[in-house]
Amino acid sequence: MGFTSLNIIDVFKGVSAIFLIVIFLIIMVYPIGSDLFAFFHTPPLADNLVTFEDRGLGVMIKYPSNWERSKIGQDQVTFIAPRESDSPSFPAGLGIKSHNISSGNSTLDSIANEIVDDLKHETQDFTLLSSGPSKLNSHDAHEISFSATDDNDARRTAMQIIVKPENLIYVITYKAIPEKYESYLPIVQSMLESLKFL
């Protein structure tokens, strides 16, 4: 004999009751609080951020205190995540580099196209994943995502944001080991949200 509509309703009620009982038991065993919410949501970045400010480079940014900061000349700074025990090299990093522009007519799209052309010629195994207009805080930007092998023969997934406040171009690069890219992205996004051009 087949299921009648009444039988289906009874089955649905039974499943719903079991589901509610399971939810009740979870709440009893794990009281609602930060631990339970942390299971469903990524916890906010800890209050271990320090501020880097450089008038010459024209930026101010907050970064995790356990990341290594390195200033390269007058126009570049990098922030490197600490090595993990299972990582042969650094797992992730963020770099900010400024460029003077000779022509005020250069658009973000044209600059992005030049960068993509350079990457194709200068990196191994270059694969463009996406390219298009974006926003960096209140500034118009162009975002490029790609994968390539870096100078140390390590495969990386990367995101470059090109932004043009005033008469400078900034190329902001986040790169990471492919399997670590998503896990470090929230930290990098917090850093980018703190970025100010001076």
Side-chain angles (χ1 to χ4, degrees):
M1 188 170 169
F3 278 110
T4 65
S5 60
L6 185 59
N7 287 343
I8 293 171
I9 291 171
D10 288 341
V11 168
F12 179 75
K13 284 180 181 177
V15 170
S16 298
I18 291 169
F19 178 75
L20 290 173
I21 290 168
V22 168
I23 294 296
F24 176 76
L25 290 174
I26 289 173
I27 290 172
M28 293 304 294
V29 174
Y30 299 103
I32 292 179
S34 59
D35 290 341
L36 182 60
F37 286 123
F39 180 77
F40 293 102
H41 303 285
T42 302
L45 197 59
D47 295 330
N48 64 342
L49 298 180
V50 294
T51 300
F52 168 78
E53 180 176 342
D54 189 297
R55 292 277 169 184
L57 183 56
V59 298
M60 180 175 71
I61 189 170
K62 293 184 178 181
Y63 67 98
S65 60
N66 64 337
W67 284 38
E68 179 184 327
R69 188 190 80 224
S70 178
K71 183 83 188 295
I72 304 168
Q74 297 301 309
D75 62 356
Q76 187 173 358
V77 64
T78 59
F79 305 93
I80 305 295
R83 264 176 215 255
E84 298 179 354
S85 58
D86 61 344
S87 176
S89 62
F90 72 88
L94 180 74
I96 303 171
K97 184 172 175 60
S98 68
H99 301 267
N100 287 309
I101 48 175
S102 54
S103 170
N105 297 326
S106 298
T107 65
L108 290 172
D109 288 346
S110 66
I111 295 163
N113 289 335
E114 286 181 31
I115 289 173
V116 168
D117 286 342
D118 289 344
L119 287 167
K120 285 177 181 176
H121 292 99
E122 295 173 6
T123 59
Q124 302 176 50
D125 309 321
F126 175 81
T127 304
L128 182 65
L129 303 174
S130 67
S131 178
S134 183
K135 280 279 189 186
L136 178 61
N137 301 332
S138 62
H139 299 280
D140 289 331
H142 192 105
E143 185 176 310
I144 303 165
S145 293
F146 62 93
S147 63
T149 301
D150 67 13
D151 295 338
N152 299 317
D153 291 327
R155 188 76 177 160
R156 301 286 182 181
T157 300
M159 170 181 68
Q160 284 194 327
I161 300 171
I162 303 109
V163 63
K164 188 171 79 166
E166 304 300 330
N167 293 320
L168 281 177
I169 290 288
Y170 286 91
V171 179
I172 301 158
T173 305
Y174 163 52
K175 65 179 183 176
I177 296 170
E179 58 270 22
K180 301 288 184 180
Y181 184 88
E182 292 297 331
S183 60
Y184 280 91
L185 188 57
I187 298 173
V188 169
Q189 287 172 333
S190 294
M191 293 170 70
L192 293 176
E193 286 169 9
S194 75
L195 178 63
K196 290 182 173 57
F197 299 105
L198 306 176

